[in-house]
Amino acid sequence: MSALIVGTILALAALTFVLYPLFSDVRPHRVAVRAAESEPSAAQAAIAALREVEFDRETGKLSDSDYAKLKADYTREALAAMRAQDATSAAVGDDEVEAAILKYRTRVLACPTCGPRPEPDAAFCSSCGRYLAGQCG
């Protein structure tokens, strides 16, 4: 009889231990704080959406017509967010913008057969599978 009582008490303790995080009010607060700390800016979100659309098109998930519409929408959003960001920050000269564009283009990977790839950290081409040079240190 005592083994049954001890087993029941242990089972209830284990159940309480497992279910406590689901019913405690501490967990949602932590998630909300983390989300508020790591929320990207509007420009970063639009650029991430553009990258995702590029990737989806390259992998065959989007048709050309859907791609064109989404790219136009997200490009418009990104430009508006960047212009708003530029209005609040110091004015940047044309030479600095051009230098930033050239710096970005040097990081863009290109497959010898398929051309530029939308995946910034890819080691292999997503279309043909060829190794992209310059990935190993």
Side-chain angles (χ1 to χ4, degrees), residues 68-80:
K69 181 185 179 307
L70 289 172
K71 183 178 179 186
D73 292 344
Y74 288 135
T75 302
R76 196 174 318 112
E77 286 179 27
L79 288 173

Side-chain angles (χ1 to χ4, degrees), residues 19-85:
L19 295 178
Y20 177 75
L22 295 176
F23 296 109
S24 71
D25 59 340
V26 177
R27 186 173 174 269
H29 174 67
R30 279 193 221 148
V31 172
V33 169
R34 281 190 206 139
E37 290 174 353
S38 65
E39 192 167 320
S41 69
Q44 290 172 339
I47 290 171
L50 277 170
R51 286 187 183 133
E52 186 70 23
V53 167
E54 288 285 337
F55 182 75
D56 286 346
R57 179 175 175 252
E58 288 296 321
T59 56
K61 293 180 182 178
L62 280 177
S63 66
D64 289 337
S65 61
D66 290 339
Y67 166 75
K69 181 185 179 307
L70 289 172
K71 183 178 179 186
D73 292 344
Y74 288 135
T75 302
R76 196 174 318 112
E77 286 179 27
L79 288 173
M82 287 179 187
R83 285 181 182 134
Q85 196 174 32

Side-chain angles (χ1 to χ4, degrees), residues 1-15:
M1 182 71 162
S2 64
L4 182 63
I5 293 172
V6 170
T8 304
I9 291 172
L10 286 174
L12 288 174
L15 186 64

Side-chain angles (χ1 to χ4, degrees), residues 61-136:
K61 293 180 182 178
L62 280 177
S63 66
D64 289 337
S65 61
D66 290 339
Y67 166 75
K69 181 185 179 307
L70 289 172
K71 183 178 179 186
D73 292 344
Y74 288 135
T75 302
R76 196 174 318 112
E77 286 179 27
L79 288 173
M82 287 179 187
R83 285 181 182 134
Q85 196 174 32
D86 282 346
T88 59
S89 66
V92 178
D94 289 338
D95 294 335
E96 293 176 25
V97 172
E98 201 169 313
I101 290 171
L102 290 174
K103 183 180 174 185
Y104 172 76
R105 285 185 181 164
T106 58
R107 291 184 294 148
V108 173
L109 300 174
C111 175
T113 57
C114 303
R117 308 308 316 145
E119 308 90 12
D121 57 348
F124 297 93
C125 177
S126 60
S127 296
C128 67
R130 291 184 78 178
Y131 174 73
L132 301 174
Q135 289 301 305
C136 292

